[in-house]
Amino acid sequence: MQVSTKFTIAIHVLTATAYFSKDHKITSEMLAASVGCNPVIIRNIMGQLKKAGLIQVKRGPGGMALAKSLDDITFLDVYRAVETHGKDELFRFHNNPNPDCPVGRNIHRALDDDLLEIHCHFEEDLARHTLAEVYDNTEKAVAG
């Protein structure tokens, strides 16, 4: 399993929004320059973050703003916003294990409990971290 770059881009976008919002209008172009990617990618991620209630986007001169404080946005919130595509499962099962095979017939029973436990631990770990930590670490790095 590998989490896509959308997760770290979303963390970057949210952190940059908090960092720059005091002095700048936050736009997809500005965020794309910070991330180093195409503004279309940023707009797609912004749409997912908005749908999850993590940001507010005002058309025209408004720009983007956080909808919650940094302490109230967990890594799990961001992960669920950009990675799960509306599904809660971390692991996806292949669709057609062979029912005539003793392994194929029983693979779900053999794996389901372990995979559920792993999934729960993963989400618990993500929930322990907030964007406030990333922001604080960014400020420390900037200060050198």
Side-chain angles (χ1 to χ4, degrees):
M1 193 253 355
Q2 185 176 30
V3 176
S4 77
T5 59
K6 287 172 39 172
F7 175 75
T8 54
I9 290 172
I11 297 281
H12 186 144
V13 162
L14 293 166
T15 305
T17 298
Y19 188 85
F20 291 113
S21 64
K22 298 173 211 112
D23 301 318
H24 298 88
K25 176 181 151 186
I26 307 301
T27 65
S28 58
E29 288 79 13
M30 184 264 260
L31 293 169
S34 177
V35 172
C37 71
N38 190 301
V40 172
I41 293 169
I42 300 300
R43 283 192 286 275
N44 289 336
I45 290 173
M46 287 170 62
Q48 292 175 299
L49 295 172
K50 181 180 178 187
K51 185 176 178 182
L54 301 179
I55 63 168
Q56 300 168 337
V57 180
K58 297 176 184 163
R59 297 261 183 233
M64 183 178 101
L66 298 179
K68 298 179 173 186
S69 74
L70 292 172
D71 286 324
D72 292 330
I73 302 174
T74 68
F75 284 18
L76 180 60
D77 296 326
V78 177
Y79 175 79
R80 285 182 174 164
V82 300
E83 290 289 346
T84 61
H85 308 291
K87 297 178 183 173
D88 287 333
E89 73 254 5
L90 178 59
F91 300 98
R92 290 175 183 81
F93 243 104
H94 49 289
N95 289 332
N96 301 308
N98 184 346
D100 297 326
C101 171
V103 175
R105 182 173 52 250
N106 294 294
I107 194 68
H108 281 280
R109 273 189 297 225
L111 268 177
D112 284 347
D113 289 342
D114 290 338
L115 294 181
L116 180 59
E117 181 180 347
I118 292 166
H119 180 141
C120 289
H121 288 298
F122 177 71
E123 288 195 347
E124 288 168 4
D125 287 342
L126 288 174
R128 275 195 281 276
H129 298 279
T130 68
L131 284 184
E133 296 169 35
V134 178
Y135 185 88
D136 292 344
N137 290 337
T138 301
E139 283 196 319
K140 288 176 191 171
V142 169

